[in-house]
Amino acid sequence: MSKPYDRILCVDFETRWDSKTYTLSKLTTEEYIRHPRFKAFGLGWKVLGEKGAAQWVSHDDIPAWAASFDWSETAVLAHNAQFDVAILSWVYGVKPVFIFDSLSMARALRGVEVGNSLAKLADHYGLPPKGEAVNSSDGLDELPYEVEQELAEYCKHDVYLCENVFKNLIHEVDGGFPRKELELIDMTLKMFTNPTLELDKEMLNEAIAEEKEKREALLAKIGIEETALASNDKFANVLHELGVTPPTKVSKTTGKEAYAFAKNDALFQALLNSDNEDVSLICEARLKVKSTLERTRAQRFVDIAGRGTLPVPLNYYGAHTGRWSASKGSGLNLQNLKRGSFLRKAIQAPQGYSLVVCDLSQIEPRVLAYLADYQALLSIFSSGKDAYSAFGAQMFGIPDLSKETHPTLRQSAKSALLGCGYGMGWASFAAQLLTGFLGAPPTMYDKAFANTLGVSKMDANDFQTNDDYMNKLFDIPHTCTDEELFIHALCAKKIISIYREASQPVVEMWNLCSQLIEYSLYKGKPYEYKCLTFDKERIILPSGLALKYPDLKFEPIEKGEKPSWHYDGGKGRKRMYGGKLVENIVQAVARCVMTDGMVRIQKRYPCVLTVHDEVVVLVPDAEVQDAEKWVYDQMVKNPSYLDGIPLDAEASNAKRYGDAK
């Protein structure tokens, strides 16, 4: 592929700031740049690869500098290009044909938890240290000559560091940093720096007012002040007054007993669905009072709508497996908008355009089945039938199983297919079912279902006589009786057992990966498996990038624990075992499939948002029908590294994001 640019400019802006009231630690990037106080004191720049030092352009000369380049043939490189290119675009109307970002590249190569600031990267590559002169401009609206000269030298040094960090990063991968990944960085940054999605401010204001009215009406109905529900201690007192013992749990963070008042706590869910109407209403009111996330996000949407279009704040390679994450400090996570919510519906295409939304179907189970050579499951996916019913029929030995004939078994098969392919244990499965597995309604299995599964007295006896099982059982938060929990756990364990018996190829892959942790990741002996290459502390992916497991060890993490494999996760040690490694691999390869489709789409239509396995594409109204099919075709195109994998997707179109499915 030919380059879409003739030159690359390395740039770095220095801007007005005030440590007391106006900084990026107090404002989001979008708020900061679109703020009335925003001012670019100047910028440093240099043509990548040319000899000589970077140059400084003062505030008044920036427009003329910007007009001196043909931006249809000029690319830009910056460290944290989301900031610098947003300034170019929003303030000066400059839209580079391509965007490079050394911060994004460092995340992909070094990991997301190790710290990839320009200062740390300079130290890592043995470059001169980053300066500190920026502190001298704190609170200034105009720069004295001496301060500007000092700031200019500081800025030009940052340009030097950025250029040399980039040169190191671009050659750190065998064969160079993958071209497709550079295209994904460019795509991600353009979602933010060249935003096209609009927000319906009127709809948002109406929804905020309606939510407030409902909340206040509910509080009035039960005669309690909002403050009594906002505080954990006060809410606990309210429950005591109603004759209810406040539910508790052991905090995973502190190890101490804490109130179980979270929406996904099984004990709180039971109170929310209590037959006692007063208790149920109190809990419902508590959720409305505590649901500040959606209210805050709605207000942030309103504020953004008042300033312009919606910049999509995503971190390229925001997770260990390469998936995107919400930009830190953006105050806006578009990765977890509820389906059907007014927030989704408030996001809309500009006039004359529509949104095509395409979501890969069961991509992780399909990739797992392919990598594990699970032919029976691949045949199910190839058939185009309801995968959950077909898998349930195979798993439970019921040929006519369907959503209508065996709804609980089908749901159990769905839960197993989506969640049990990575070695999940029965206790975790049982606990998640009680709170709603992967977004499904809470489920508690009973005696009738146990009989359907074929749970025997011998199964029950074996469970009861196993001290480890019984200890795990009573660690599961529950509001049912101990007997009901026991039956539920027996069913969960039986489903896990049935899944593993029916899915031997998956179990064999867990075992293979368990062996490869020691053989390749630890001992460094290369091993090629399908589209993957296992090596010392890394697995090279089809993208050319790698899953990394630095400082891998087999020993107890803490005194008294059994030895286990674990690696440096940046913010503490992370355990590693066969099933977990399979999960990492599957998610990383699924990400390759997803992003390959997006790169193809971007050549014709802009991808304006991505959420997990879903891409949102902006297309002209006149082309929307043909575009929907074309986008679908790009997403399900067979990858050469997974030749023959049966892919599928769901595609639809609408003016509003929330109406697309």
Side-chain angles (χ1 to χ4, degrees):
M1 175 183 170
S2 60
K3 295 178 181 178
Y5 48 84
D6 288 337
R7 67 186 72 83
I8 303 173
L9 301 186
C10 186
V11 303
D12 181 58
F13 274 95
E14 300 300 336
T15 61
R16 173 161 52 193
W17 67 291
D18 184 328
S19 58
K20 295 180 180 178
T21 59
Y22 178 58
T23 69
L24 285 168
S25 62
K26 293 181 170 64
L27 302 171
T28 68
T29 299
E30 183 272 337
E31 289 173 314
Y32 181 86
I33 298 175
R34 286 175 168 173
H35 198 282
R37 292 186 62 185
F38 178 83
K39 179 181 181 180
F41 285 139
L43 67 89
W45 73 281
K46 181 182 181 296
V47 177
L48 186 73
E50 289 192 356
K51 293 182 179 179
Q55 301 178 52
W56 171 258
V57 181
S58 295
H59 168 78
D60 292 343
D61 298 326
I62 295 176
W65 173 86
S68 68
F69 295 98
D70 180 355
W71 294 101
S72 68
E73 298 179 348
T74 304
V76 165
L77 161 67
H79 192 77
N80 189 15
Q82 190 180 90
F83 178 74
D84 296 282
V85 179
I87 295 172
L88 282 173
S89 177
W90 304 350
V91 179
Y92 298 102
V94 168
K95 301 189 188 314
V97 68
F98 201 86
I99 306 172
F100 292 91
D101 180 32
S102 49
L103 174 59
S104 294
M105 295 168 67
R107 285 195 187 109
L109 296 181
R110 288 166 38 84
V112 297
E113 300 288 358
V114 298
N116 292 297
S117 67
L118 192 58
K120 288 187 176 181
L121 289 169
D123 180 66
H124 176 73
Y125 290 116
L127 298 169
K130 182 176 166 61
E132 298 180 356
V134 68
N135 295 325
S136 62
S137 61
D138 184 1
L140 298 179
D141 293 329
E142 301 292 337
L143 297 182
Y145 176 79
E146 295 80 5
V147 174
E148 180 167 354
Q149 291 304 302
E150 183 183 13
L151 192 63
E153 292 304 313
Y154 164 85
C155 181
K156 289 190 289 183
H157 182 61
D158 274 3
V159 172
Y160 164 82
L161 292 178
C162 179
E163 179 180 25
N164 284 277
V165 164
F166 175 78
K167 288 178 179 178
N168 279 280
L169 290 168
I170 203 75
H171 296 301
E172 195 160 307
V173 182
D174 294 341
F177 197 93
R179 173 70 193 198
K180 282 185 179 179
E181 295 298 322
L182 290 174
E183 291 179 14
L184 289 169
I185 292 172
D186 171 70
M187 180 194 307
T188 304
L189 290 166
K190 284 176 178 173
M191 290 180 190
F192 186 85
T193 63
N194 188 23
T196 53
L197 294 172
E198 297 180 350
L199 292 167
D200 188 333
K201 189 174 182 179
E202 184 178 349
M203 171 188 282
L204 289 164
N205 280 323
E206 288 177 357
I208 291 172
E210 183 179 339
E211 191 278 336
K212 180 182 179 183
E213 185 178 327
K214 287 181 178 179
R215 185 173 73 255
E216 290 177 347
L218 184 57
L219 289 169
K221 182 177 181 180
I222 59 179
I224 290 179
E225 295 290 330
E226 185 168 320
T227 54
L229 299 181
S231 159
N232 281 350
D233 290 335
K234 290 182 178 180
F235 178 58
N237 288 335
V238 171
L239 291 177
H240 276 303
E241 290 173 6
L242 291 172
V244 175
T245 301
T248 59
K249 62 184 177 183
V250 176
S251 170
K252 292 182 179 180
T253 305
T254 65
K256 299 178 181 179
E257 188 175 60
Y259 289 120
F261 290 160
K263 184 178 181 180
N264 60 350
D265 284 329
L267 303 178
F268 183 80
Q269 278 285 332
L271 295 180
L272 186 64
N273 297 298
S274 171
D275 292 334
N276 185 322
E277 185 177 355
D278 290 339
V279 173
S280 178
L281 283 174
I282 287 289
C283 291
E284 183 184 349
R286 158 79 176 189
L287 287 180
K288 287 192 176 295
V289 167
K290 295 295 286 184
S291 63
T292 56
L293 174 63
E294 189 156 300
R295 294 205 298 275
T296 301
R297 190 155 46 180
Q299 187 57 55
R300 193 173 293 281
F301 270 26
V302 170
D303 295 341
I304 293 172
R307 293 187 289 264
T309 48
L310 173 65
V312 174
L314 292 176
N315 282 338
Y316 158 87
Y317 233 89
H320 180 232
T321 56
R323 291 179 178 268
W324 283 272
S325 67
S327 296
K328 185 178 180 181
S330 66
L332 201 64
N333 186 356
L334 299 182
Q335 301 288 287
N336 64 353
L337 297 180
K338 293 180 182 177
R339 291 195 178 276
S341 70
F342 70 88
L343 293 175
R344 278 193 176 223
K345 290 186 178 181
I347 300 174
Q348 57 189 2
Q351 187 172 3
Y353 291 83
S354 292
L355 301 175
V356 170
V357 179
C358 190
D359 191 1
L360 285 171
S361 302
Q362 301 116 5
I363 181 61
E364 287 189 28
R366 291 169 192 264
V367 169
L368 175 59
Y370 185 93
L371 294 177
D373 285 325
Y374 191 173
Q375 295 301 322
L377 185 53
L378 289 171
S379 296
I380 288 173
F381 287 130
S382 297
S383 72
K385 297 178 181 178
D386 173 14
Y388 304 129
S389 294
F391 182 66
Q394 171 191 303
M395 181 174 163
F396 296 114
I398 303 174
D400 65 342
L401 189 148
S402 69
K403 190 174 184 178
E404 291 71 32
T405 61
H406 300 82
T408 306
L409 284 176
R410 179 189 178 276
Q411 182 60 44
S412 297
K414 178 179 179 179
S415 298
L417 184 63
L418 296 179
C420 298
Y422 304 136
M424 178 184 288
W426 64 265
S428 178
F429 187 47
Q432 291 188 51
L433 286 167
L434 290 175
T435 57
F437 192 77
L438 298 176
T443 299
M444 188 176 75
Y445 296 133
D446 56 18
K447 285 184 178 179
F449 186 67
N451 290 332
T452 301
L453 285 177
V455 175
S456 67
K457 290 183 178 179
M458 183 178 293
D459 292 329
N461 184 64
D462 289 345
F463 194 109
Q464 284 179 312
T465 55
N466 187 309
D467 291 340
D468 183 48
Y469 287 176
M470 294 304 291
N471 289 332
K472 287 181 179 179
L473 175 70
F474 292 112
D475 282 341
I476 298 173
H478 61 285
T479 55
C480 55
T481 65
D482 289 350
E483 182 183 359
E484 288 171 332
L485 179 64
F486 177 66
I487 293 168
H488 172 74
L490 278 176
C491 292
K493 189 173 184 301
K494 187 72 171 181
I495 289 171
I496 292 285
S497 176
I498 293 172
Y499 170 82
R500 294 182 179 184
E501 185 176 344
S503 306
Q504 277 301 303
V506 173
V507 175
E508 290 171 10
M509 189 172 179
W510 299 343
N511 295 335
L512 172 64
C513 284
S514 292
Q515 296 169 22
L516 289 175
I517 291 174
E518 179 175 1
Y519 180 83
S520 293
L521 300 185
Y522 181 67
K523 293 183 177 179
K525 298 178 181 179
Y527 184 87
E528 293 191 5
Y529 181 81
K530 295 187 181 292
C531 59
L532 306 165
T533 300
F534 293 76
D535 205 345
K536 178 69 172 178
E537 295 185 345
R538 66 175 186 163
I539 303 169
I540 302 173
L541 301 165
S543 65
L545 298 177
L547 285 168
K548 295 191 174 183
Y549 301 94
D551 195 29
L552 185 67
K553 296 178 180 178
F554 183 76
E555 59 185 33
I557 294 181
E558 296 180 5
K559 287 185 178 180
E561 289 186 337
K562 293 181 180 179
S564 64
W565 288 108
H566 52 88
Y567 65 98
D568 182 1
K571 294 182 178 179
R573 308 292 300 180
K574 292 189 176 181
R575 297 183 192 277
M576 180 52 56
Y577 51 91
K580 186 65 178 178
L581 188 58
V582 169
E583 180 180 21
N584 285 178
I585 290 168
V586 168
Q587 289 182 351
V589 174
R591 182 262 187 194
C592 292
V593 176
M594 173 76 182
T595 54
D596 283 356
M598 291 175 65
V599 168
R600 289 189 289 267
I601 291 168
Q602 184 76 6
K603 298 186 188 312
R604 181 169 170 183
Y605 299 115
C607 299
V608 294
L609 175 63
T610 180
V611 179
H612 306 306
D613 303 319
E614 174 185 86
V615 61
V616 182
V617 184
L618 187 69
V619 302
D621 285 339
E623 303 174 27
V624 69
Q625 296 302 323
D626 290 339
E628 181 181 316
K629 182 181 183 306
W630 184 84
V631 167
Y632 170 88
D633 289 342
Q634 305 317 302
M635 292 301 290
V636 300
K637 188 174 181 179
N638 200 255
S640 59
Y641 48 88
L642 298 177
D643 189 32
I645 186 174
L647 298 177
D648 198 8
E650 295 180 30
S652 58
N653 73 85
K655 297 294 289 185
R656 297 178 181 273
Y657 176 41
D659 291 336
K661 283 189 180 180

